[in-house]
Amino acid sequence: MPNLKDIRDRIKSVKNTRKITEAMRLVAAAKVRRAQQQVTATRPFADRLTQVLYGLQNRMQFEDANLPLLKEREIKNVGLLVVSGDRGLCGGYNTNVIKRAENRAKELQEKGVGYKYVLVGRKAIQYFERRNQPIDAKYTGLEQIPTASEASMIADQLLSLFLSETVDRVELIYTKFVSLISSRPAVQTLLPLTAKGLESQDDEIFRLTTKGGEFKVEREVVTRGTTETFPRDMIFEQDPVQILDALLPLYLNNQLLRALQESAASELACRMTAMSNASDNASELTGKLTLTYNKARQAAITQEILEVVGGAEALG
C-alpha cells in the first residue's frame, strides 16, 4: 500500500514546482512585451535610414562606389555569427540554432571553404568549445532585451574580421520569431552589403495580447513610409560616396540589432511555452497523485474498519 505521507509530500513538491514554472512564464511574458516595445521604438530610425540609403541608391550606382563594405571577394573563409541564449529552460531554442550552425559549417567544409565562429550566448559557447571549433570571439551576459550598444560592439568585431580580410563573408545564424509557439533558425548574409535588401518593403511586428485569460500573439503588417528619390538638383555638402560610407555601418548595426531582438523574442516565447507546458504537466500530475492519495486513504480506512469488525466478531 502506498505511503500516505510520501504521496502528500510529493503533491506538495509538485504544487511548489508549478508555482515556480507559472512565475517564470509570467516573467517571460512581461519581457516579450518589452521586446515588442523596443522593436516598435527602433522602427522610425530604421525606416528613415533605409529611405536615405534608398535615395542614395537611386542617385548613384552602388556598384560604382569603391567602398570596402560593398566589395565582394572570392570566398575562402566565412565568419559565422551564432546567436543563442545564456540560459536553458526554453525548449529547443538553443538546440535548433546550434544544429543549424553546425549544418552550415559542414556545408562550407564540403565546398572547401573555411569558417570561424563568433558566438553570442553561453549555450553556444559551451557547445562549440567542447568540440574544439574555431572561435574568434565570444559574447555573454548581454541584456535580455538587446540594446544598440551591444549590437554595435558585435558589429565592430564583424567589421574588423571583414575589413582585415580574415573572412570574406559574414553570415548571421539566429532564430527568427514566428509566433509564441513557433520560431525557426535563419541564415542571413551581413557582409558584404549589397543594394539588394535595401528596398522599401512591408514588415511585420508582433504584439503580445491576452484573450480569455490566455496569452496570444498578433502579427501586424507595417508599411514603411514612402521612399522618395532625391531631387536631381540636390547638392551634397559631402561626396555621396562618403555619406554612403558613413551610413553603411549604421545600417549593419541596425540589421544586427533587429536580429538580436528577434532572437530574444524567440527565446522568451520558447521559455513561455516550455513553462506553460511544465505548469500543465504539474497540474495533471497533481490530479493523478491526489487520486492515488484518495484511493490509498480510502483503502487504509477500509482496512481499519475490517480490522475493527474482525476484532469485534472474534470477541463475540
Side-chain angles (χ1 to χ4, degrees), residues 125-158:
I125 293 172
Q126 292 174 346
Y127 182 88
F128 289 111
E129 279 184 338
R130 286 196 297 266
R131 288 157 179 78
N132 296 318
Q133 292 293 307
I135 301 174
D136 186 85
K138 299 175 287 187
Y139 300 93
T140 59
L142 272 63
E143 294 289 337
Q144 184 69 71
I145 308 301
T147 63
S149 60
E150 292 170 338
S152 178
M153 173 180 63
I154 299 172
D156 288 344
Q157 176 64 25
L158 299 178

Side-chain angles (χ1 to χ4, degrees), residues 21 24-25 89 270-280:
T21 56
M24 293 180 68
R25 182 181 76 90
L89 298 178
C270 288
R271 183 167 289 113
M272 275 184 60
T273 302
M275 293 301 100
S276 178
N277 292 338
S279 297
D280 293 341

Side-chain angles (χ1 to χ4, degrees), residues 47-181:
D47 288 349
R48 188 56 182 166
L49 179 60
T50 302
Q51 290 178 17
V52 173
L53 288 173
Y54 183 77
L56 287 171
Q57 177 187 355
N58 284 282
R59 183 66 180 267
M60 54 180 289
Q61 294 296 323
F62 273 26
E63 293 77 5
D64 297 337
N66 186 20
L67 297 176
L69 296 185
L70 301 177
K71 186 177 181 181
E72 296 187 11
R73 303 189 292 262
E74 180 184 357
I75 307 299
K76 297 180 180 178
N77 291 287
V78 174
L80 298 177
L81 172 62
V82 184
V83 181
S84 70
D86 284 334
R87 297 183 297 156
L89 298 178
C90 50
Y93 169 78
N94 292 309
T95 302
N96 292 337
V97 73
I98 288 172
K99 183 177 179 180
R100 184 67 183 89
E102 272 193 319
N103 291 339
R104 181 54 181 159
K106 290 179 182 177
E107 292 173 2
L108 294 173
Q109 281 184 317
E110 291 172 356
K111 296 178 181 178
V113 177
Y115 63 91
K116 289 180 179 291
Y117 284 116
V118 176
L119 303 176
V120 177
R122 187 172 290 109
K123 291 299 180 180
I125 293 172
Q126 292 174 346
Y127 182 88
F128 289 111
E129 279 184 338
R130 286 196 297 266
R131 288 157 179 78
N132 296 318
Q133 292 293 307
I135 301 174
D136 186 85
K138 299 175 287 187
Y139 300 93
T140 59
L142 272 63
E143 294 289 337
Q144 184 69 71
I145 308 301
T147 63
S149 60
E150 292 170 338
S152 178
M153 173 180 63
I154 299 172
D156 288 344
Q157 176 64 25
L158 299 178
L159 286 171
S160 175
L161 288 174
F162 183 76
L163 295 177
S164 65
E165 299 189 5
T166 302
V167 298
D168 303 300
R169 185 168 67 193
V170 175
E171 295 181 357
L172 167 66
I173 302 175
Y174 71 108
T175 305
K176 187 173 181 60
F177 182 89
V178 178
S179 69
L180 287 180
I181 59 174

